[in-house]
Amino acid sequence: FFGDRSYTREVHNLGSGVIISPDGYILSNDHVAGNAAKIVVTMTNGKKYDAKLIGSDKASDVCVLKIDETNLPYVKIGNSDDLIVGEWVIALGNPFGLFEINDKPTVTVGVISAVNMNLGAVGDRYYLNMIQTDAAINSGNSGGPLVNALGELIGINTLIYTAGSQGNIGVGFALPINK
């Protein structure tokens, strides 16, 4: 007989994102920021911004955030329909929260292992036409950019296959930017 007690606790989540316009629009994953009550974006210079959730789509696991700033550096959008299996890619992000140690993203390289990978439903999200890469993607990289050798955004790092391990085994997936 404990009555109607309720407890509130703050849950911290971390992930990555990518600035897509000089006026502060950021792409990330819905599972990173889509249900957040408060979103704080930390830039590589250590500056922190409160972000607004502009829109989110749970089914495709993508969200758009906005910070109030201008003249921001941003990534050029590439074309994920023109990817070639074997082409070099670079994954950037915040694996395991390492960004908080020095305010710099972690960078890994790999190749496009496959395109148009249909992973089906994972819970209430649908991962269709995904880009598969062997660039190391780990917990915390979700929402970060996958770029081609020209530095163009071709995907949003989203999930990994772990086969029961705790981290990357060389099978990561990104949402194609054209999606």
Side-chain angles (χ1 to χ4, degrees), residues 134-169:
D134 65 350
I137 298 171
N138 286 290
S139 177
N141 276 100
S142 290
L146 184 69
V147 299
N148 61 19
L150 300 174
E152 299 168 332
L153 182 63
I154 58 166
I156 299 295
N157 301 323
T158 303
L159 67 129
I160 61 173
Y161 178 71
T162 61
S165 76
Q166 293 297 311
N168 181 281
I169 61 167

Side-chain angles (χ1 to χ4, degrees), residues 3-179:
D4 290 332
R5 294 184 190 178
S6 67
Y7 297 93
T8 303
R9 92 180 152 111
E10 191 172 307
V11 177
H12 292 272
N13 191 16
L14 58 87
S16 302
V18 58
I19 301 170
I20 58 168
S21 70
D23 57 345
Y25 285 93
I26 299 169
L27 278 179
S28 189
N29 286 127
D30 174 78
H31 77 263
V32 170
N35 289 324
K38 180 176 181 176
I39 303 167
V40 177
V41 172
T42 304
M43 306 299 268
T44 58
N45 64 5
K47 191 167 181 181
K48 295 181 185 300
Y49 295 89
D50 287 332
K52 292 188 302 186
L53 179 66
I54 299 301
S56 195
D57 181 42
K58 189 171 198 164
S60 63
D61 200 7
V62 68
C63 73
V64 177
L65 309 173
K66 173 79 169 75
I67 59 173
D68 290 325
E69 189 60 81
T70 57
N71 297 319
L72 290 167
Y74 62 97
V75 68
K76 180 180 177 186
I77 306 293
N79 184 353
S80 58
D81 290 340
D82 291 339
L83 300 178
I84 300 168
V85 172
E87 89 175 81
W88 287 98
V89 291
I90 305 158
L92 295 96
N94 180 23
F96 308 112
L98 294 176
F99 184 84
E100 295 178 17
I101 294 172
N102 69 357
D103 293 334
K104 301 291 183 241
T106 296
V107 177
T108 58
V109 296
V111 297
I112 301 239
S113 304
V115 293
N116 299 318
M117 297 295 291
N118 290 320
L119 307 178
V122 178
D124 50 2
R125 302 182 199 285
Y126 297 91
Y127 297 110
L128 305 173
N129 301 312
M130 301 291 286
I131 301 166
Q132 181 183 334
T133 182
D134 65 350
I137 298 171
N138 286 290
S139 177
N141 276 100
S142 290
L146 184 69
V147 299
N148 61 19
L150 300 174
E152 299 168 332
L153 182 63
I154 58 166
I156 299 295
N157 301 323
T158 303
L159 67 129
I160 61 173
Y161 178 71
T162 61
S165 76
Q166 293 297 311
N168 181 281
I169 61 167
V171 182
F173 298 94
L175 295 169
I177 196 62
N178 290 11
K179 184 175 183 180

